[in-house]
């Protein structure tokens, strides 16, 4: 098998590399097993992780993990999960226009912004799952550390995933009184202030309260008029109570939440869709308006947007209007500002009960509630082509119960997990000024214009049973095995609806239907509208598993091998479609992963080398592609790739060559390829996509960071730091390489980029104060995180330009 050859050959290379490193540190290494997890926890140079549901030195875990402390995250400006690509090679995050971030790890991602879509990379806070990506925005707040686990997960975590897991460990209530604050003021008048108070309330009760607010000015500028966008207005909070009524019982109550009332990001128009794929509607006034619209300048701040979403559903614009003369006030007569009004809260209760010296029962109960009401404009113009209002909610309940046994030579975990969620997702579209606004263009628009909305109402119920065993055959050799059975039931209701009769007028004329104002427009195979909506079910089950072996040398070098299979549940889309085919769900996907690796501490841990090689056998990959549509030819939809593969290597090096200097370097090379898939192209013709690469999967991602802290006085230290992030080129579509039947569409390219950040300042240990300055994206590199076809235009979403500011931290 190609997979076996790839992993074996690379494994042999890693073994030789490990053998070569052993003599360099064997004389300085501590005896095998001398360092326990408790002693390691007191060593600042040892990173403790909980990937196996217990505290372990990261170098003792046979799994590819990246971990970083909460203080380091603040220093480097990593304030949300979307920033983690700065410290995790192989991870990219696409902020979507619908407020749902998309996480891609080692090329495994699922670009789908429906609220109810299960991600390939799940985010957890204190082992509590956030099963929907829209709710993850506030996860990186007041944390002790973050751990990113690569490869299929599910055996020990509450949600099956094919790409990996991101686990934030929140800072906990402390035994003594502690307090602290972190504040920064940056370009665009952005304040980011957070603080905490923690300590005992009684002999058995401890508490911690933390708050954060982000307030900032607009950073985007319209290139056609005097208008700005990009304000920030966020608030986060967390309250924790830790009650320990006895030595054997620990209860942790956690109440947390966040609000975001900032602006949504506007797009940058790059080309007119009609210029590439002409259609009869391109000659309409709306089509001509798009053809004549100026393209966005090639810098991060230049964008354009309109105010085409209305509280009363009316549109008074026309294609010949001089839009620069309008009053674009936030709640002016011409519509609502691109802005969000999102909020999230969660309650959780964790109970740990020591039943004996070796047996612990853990219960984790959580309920969360998310609500969104936001306005987006992602065609990159003031024209109302894809001006949208997204509203919806997520209500999620989860319960996990597990037993953990710590024996002389074995660690055993068995348990179960239950999850029940209700989601509602509604998108209101104003496309009255786009080329698609009048398919017949001989039928006049109604006074209300071309207005529709689509919605998805889903109920998801899942339960799972899992077990995992780590057994030490010898002091050096450990065998690992685990399995998880998961059953998921998903009920769906959805449709694309007319709004106030504006679209129903020409819809009935086109198809001979009798859709009433507000009625369902989506057609069944006989071209009859569904009434009142499309109803469907998706019931699935699977068995995920992993087996592995760890071998630790007398010098503490770890060699590991792992084979695992993970699943990601199926999904229904939220989409505006004429054909019910667009609501066809994708079924669960699976990845069988083969991985070998090495973790080597060198020269008394002055160097730490980790490396891994992996091969993923991918079945039924879920992806955004094209599906036939009776009105528009094709539309974006969910498709499934029967067979594909991912292979790659990664390596990282952490060095502490002298006191005060810390250097880290890491990189991941990923080669993705579709091996079998016949799909649709934008012009509705079919093509063989064999050989295409995955979207949003750069071949090379690399990170580096260096910081040197040195004394400048008897009680003052100075520090200098620099970090680098590099992503090679990729694409946002499947058509990203030339094959016999497909020509690459360069409009959807995402070019390679390198970002450099600088920081410098002072640290006063006696006062527990750290103050400094920073510059992020020093070169003001213009890069983008997403490219999409809006049916009227191809538009980009740019990354942040150069920012700079001051930062102060204080601890009591």
């Amino acid at each position: 098998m190609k997979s076996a050859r790839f992993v074996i050959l690379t494994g042999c290379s890693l073994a030789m590399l490990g053998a070569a490193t052993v003599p360099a540190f064997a004389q300085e290494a501590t005896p095998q097993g001398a360092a326990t997890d408790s002693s390691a926890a007191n060593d600042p140079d040892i990173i403790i992780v909980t990937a196996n549901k217990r505290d372990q030195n990261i170098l003792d875990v046979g799994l590819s993990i990246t971990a970083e402390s909460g203080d380091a995250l603040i220093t480097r400006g990593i304030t949300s999960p979307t920033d983690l690509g700065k410290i995790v090679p192989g991870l990219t995050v696409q902020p979507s226009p619908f407020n749902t971030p998309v996480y891609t790890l080692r090329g495994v991602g699922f670009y789908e912004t429906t609220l109810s879509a299960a991600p390939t990379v799940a985010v957890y806070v204190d082992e509590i799952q956030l099963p929907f990506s829209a709710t993850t925005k506030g996860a990186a707040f007041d944390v002790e550390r973050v751990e990113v686990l690569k490869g299929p997960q599910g055996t020990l975590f509450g949600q099956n995933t094919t790409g990996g897991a991101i686990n934030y460990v929140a800072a906990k209530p402390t035994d003594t009184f502690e307090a602290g604050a972190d504040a920064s003021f940056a370009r665009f008048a952005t304040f980011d202030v957070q603080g905490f108070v923690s300590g005992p309330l009684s002999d058995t009760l401890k508490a911690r309260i933390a708050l954060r607010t982000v307030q900032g000015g607009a950073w985007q500028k319209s290139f056609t008029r005097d208008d700005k966008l990009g304000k920030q207005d966020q608030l986060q909070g967390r309250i924790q109570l830790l009650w320990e009524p006895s030595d054997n019982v620990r209860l942790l109550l956690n109440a947390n939440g966040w609000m975001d009332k900032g602006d949504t990001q506007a797009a940058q128009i790059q080309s007119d869709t009609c210029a590439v794929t002409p259609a009869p509607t391109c000659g309409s006034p709306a089509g001509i308006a798009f053809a004549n619209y100026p393209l966005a300048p090639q810098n991060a701040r230049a964008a354009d947007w309109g105010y085409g979403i209305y509280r009363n559903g009316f549109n008074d614009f026309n294609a010949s209007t001089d839009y620069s003369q309008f009053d674009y006030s936030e709640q002016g007569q011409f519509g609502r500002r691109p802005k969000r009004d999102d909020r999230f809260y969660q309650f959780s209760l964790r109970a740990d009960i020591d039943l004996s010296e070796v047996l612990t029962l853990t219960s984790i109960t959580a309920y969360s509630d998310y609500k969104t009401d936001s306005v987006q404009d992602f065609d990159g113009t003031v024209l109302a082509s894809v001006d949208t209002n997204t509203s919806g909610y997520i209500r999620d309940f989860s319960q996990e119960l597990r037993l953990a046994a710590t024996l002389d030579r074995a660690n055993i975990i068995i348990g179960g997990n239950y999850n029940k969620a209700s989601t509602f997702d509604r998108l209101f579209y104003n496309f009255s000024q786009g080329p698609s606004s009048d398919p017949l263009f001989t039928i006049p628009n109604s006074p209300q214009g071309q207005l529709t909305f689509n919605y998805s109402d889903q109920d998801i119920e899942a339960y799972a049973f899992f077990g995992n065993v780590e057994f030490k055959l010898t002091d050096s050799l450990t065998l690992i095995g685990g399995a998880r059975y998961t059953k998921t039931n998903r009920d769906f209701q959805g449709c694309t609806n007319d709004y106030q009769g504006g679209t129903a007028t020409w819809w009935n004329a086109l198809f001979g239907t009798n859709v009433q104002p507000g009625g369902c427009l989506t057609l069944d195979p006989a071209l009859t509208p569904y009434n009142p909506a499309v109803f469907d079910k998706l019931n699935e089950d699977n068995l995920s598993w992993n087996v592995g072996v760890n071998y630790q040398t007398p010098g503490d070098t770890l060699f590991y091998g792992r084979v695992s299979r993970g699943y990601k549940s199926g999904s229904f889309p939220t989409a505006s479609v004429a054909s019910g085919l667009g609501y066809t769900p994708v079924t669960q996907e699976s990845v069988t992963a083969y991985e070998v690796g090495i973790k080597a501490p060198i020269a008394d841990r002055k160097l730490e080398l980790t490396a891994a090689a992996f091969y993923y056998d991918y079945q039924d990959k879920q992806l955004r592609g094209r599906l036939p549509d009776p009105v528009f030819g094709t539309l974006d939809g969910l498709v499934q790739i029967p067979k594909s593969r991912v292979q790659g290597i990664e390596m990282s090096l952490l060095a502490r060559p002298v006191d005060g200097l810390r250097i880290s370097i890491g990189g991941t090379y990923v080669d993705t390829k579709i091996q079998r898939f016949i799909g649709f192209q934008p012009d509705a013709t079919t093509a063989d996509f064999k050989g295409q690469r995955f979207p949003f999967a750069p071949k090379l991602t690399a990170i580096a960071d260096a910081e040197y802290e040195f004394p400048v006085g008897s009680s003052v230290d100075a520090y200098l730091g620099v970090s680098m992030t590099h992503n090679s080129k990729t694409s946002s579509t499947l058509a990203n390489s030339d094959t016999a039947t497909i020509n690459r569409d360069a409009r959807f390219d995402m070019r390679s980029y390198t970002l450099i950040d600088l920081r410098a300042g002072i640290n006063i240990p006696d006062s527990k104060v750290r103050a400094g300055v920073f510059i992020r994206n020093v070169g003001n590199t213009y890069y983008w995180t997403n490219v999409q076809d809006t049916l009227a235009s191809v538009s980009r979403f740019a990354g942040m330009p150069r920012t700079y500011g001051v930062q102060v931290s204080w601890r009591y």
Side-chain angles (χ1 to χ4, degrees), residues 203-204 243-250 352-356 360:
D203 291 342
T204 60
W243 185 42
E244 299 174 294
S246 70
D247 293 339
N248 300 326
V249 177
R250 298 168 297 281
D352 292 286
I353 304 172
D354 297 329
L355 302 178
S356 70
T360 299

Side-chain angles (χ1 to χ4, degrees), residues 523-601:
L523 307 172
D524 64 17
L527 299 184
T528 301
Y530 287 91
N531 186 18
V534 179
F535 295 89
D536 204 351
K537 293 179 178 291
L538 182 62
N539 298 331
E540 302 174 310
D541 66 342
N542 58 68
L543 182 67
S544 57
W545 50 266
N546 78 87
V547 293
V549 57
N550 294 346
Y551 177 74
Q552 201 154 29
T553 70
D556 279 348
T557 293
L558 176 70
F559 295 95
Y560 70 89
R562 185 173 187 257
V563 182
S564 60
R565 175 171 293 172
Y567 290 84
K568 189 190 88 63
S569 64
S571 184
F572 288 92
T574 300
S576 181
V577 295
S579 169
L581 179 66
Y583 288 123
T584 303
V586 286
T587 58
Q588 63 188 3
E589 67 176 28
S590 69
V591 166
T592 304
Y594 306 84
E595 180 171 337
V596 292
I598 177 178
K599 298 185 177 184

Side-chain angles (χ1 to χ4, degrees), residues 384-406:
S385 171
V386 280
D387 293 13
T388 65
N389 172 216
T390 304
S391 59
Y393 62 79
I394 298 172
R395 295 164 186 159
D396 182 79
F397 171 80
S398 64
Q399 172 65 56
E400 179 170 311
L401 195 65
R402 67 175 187 258
L403 278 170
T406 304

Side-chain angles (χ1 to χ4, degrees), residues 482-501:
R484 170 194 175 105
Y485 172 79
T486 303
K487 174 70 174 177
T488 304
N489 300 321
R490 188 179 289 251
D491 292 338
F492 169 84
Q493 174 185 338
C495 193
T496 300
N497 290 68
D498 168 76
Y499 184 77
Q500 296 188 351

Side-chain angles (χ1 to χ4, degrees), residues 504-749:
T505 301
W506 58 261
W507 200 264
N508 292 331
L510 179 63
F511 293 106
T513 56
N514 187 30
V515 177
Q516 299 300 305
C520 180
L521 300 169
T522 304
L523 307 172
D524 64 17
L527 299 184
T528 301
Y530 287 91
N531 186 18
V534 179
F535 295 89
D536 204 351
K537 293 179 178 291
L538 182 62
N539 298 331
E540 302 174 310
D541 66 342
N542 58 68
L543 182 67
S544 57
W545 50 266
N546 78 87
V547 293
V549 57
N550 294 346
Y551 177 74
Q552 201 154 29
T553 70
D556 279 348
T557 293
L558 176 70
F559 295 95
Y560 70 89
R562 185 173 187 257
V563 182
S564 60
R565 175 171 293 172
Y567 290 84
K568 189 190 88 63
S569 64
S571 184
F572 288 92
T574 300
S576 181
V577 295
S579 169
L581 179 66
Y583 288 123
T584 303
V586 286
T587 58
Q588 63 188 3
E589 67 176 28
S590 69
V591 166
T592 304
Y594 306 84
E595 180 171 337
V596 292
I598 177 178
K599 298 185 177 184
I602 304 171
D604 198 23
R605 295 203 313 272
K606 286 185 170 59
L607 294 176
E608 293 179 7
L609 171 70
T610 66
F614 51 90
Y615 183 96
Y616 293 172
D617 183 1
Y618 217 146
Q619 303 291 323
D620 299 319
K621 176 175 175 56
Q622 303 167 7
L623 205 62
R624 270 276 174 182
R626 288 280 181 168
L627 291 174
D629 186 89
V631 175
F632 304 108
T634 63
L635 288 175
D636 274 357
L638 297 182
V639 300
Q640 209 135 25
I641 312 299
K643 186 172 177 56
S644 52
R645 63 104 173 114
V646 180
Q647 62 185 17
I649 56 174
E650 64 185 19
M651 186 174 293
S652 65
L653 182 67
L654 174 62
R656 307 178 187 91
V658 296
D659 290 344
L661 179 60
R662 184 181 188 272
I663 302 171
S664 61
I665 302 172
T668 300
Y669 175 83
V670 173
D671 180 26
T672 65
K673 183 176 290 187
I674 290 175
Q675 296 172 305
R676 187 172 73 249
F677 176 57
I678 304 296
F680 287 91
Q681 299 190 94
D683 62 1
T685 61
T686 59
D688 185 354
F689 284 79
K690 181 179 180 180
Q692 297 292 303
R693 300 189 301 273
F694 295 173
F696 302 111
K699 284 192 171 183
L700 178 64
T701 57
I703 59 98
D705 184 77
E707 181 171 300
Y708 181 47
E709 186 167 336
F710 53 94
V712 292
S714 59
S715 60
V716 179
D717 296 333
Y719 69 88
L720 299 171
V722 57
S723 62
M724 180 275 294
T725 307
H726 173 79
N727 281 4
S728 64
K729 66 179 180 180
T730 184
S731 174
S732 65
T733 69
L734 276 180
N736 50 35
S737 62
D738 293 326
T739 66
T741 58
I742 299 174
N743 292 319
R744 183 177 64 85
D745 193 335
R747 296 177 301 164
F748 299 95
D749 284 355

Side-chain angles (χ1 to χ4, degrees), residues 408-471:
D408 183 37
R409 288 195 170 273
N411 289 283
I412 304 171
I413 294 178
I414 58 172
N417 182 278
Y418 176 79
N419 179 243
K420 185 175 180 60
S422 176
T423 71
F424 180 80
D425 197 2
R426 175 184 179 272
L427 272 69
F428 178 95
Y429 281 88
N430 182 354
F431 58 98
S432 57
Q433 291 180 285
S436 60
S437 62
D438 190 359
L440 299 182
F441 65 84
T442 57
I443 299 175
N445 292 338
S446 71
Q448 288 81 16
Q450 302 300 309
L451 307 171
T452 66
F453 69 89
N454 59 74
Y455 75 95
S456 165
D457 190 350
Q458 301 188 45
D459 293 314
I460 305 123
E461 186 174 34
Y463 58 86
F465 303 97
F466 59 87
N468 194 77
V469 178
E470 299 174 70
F471 184 77

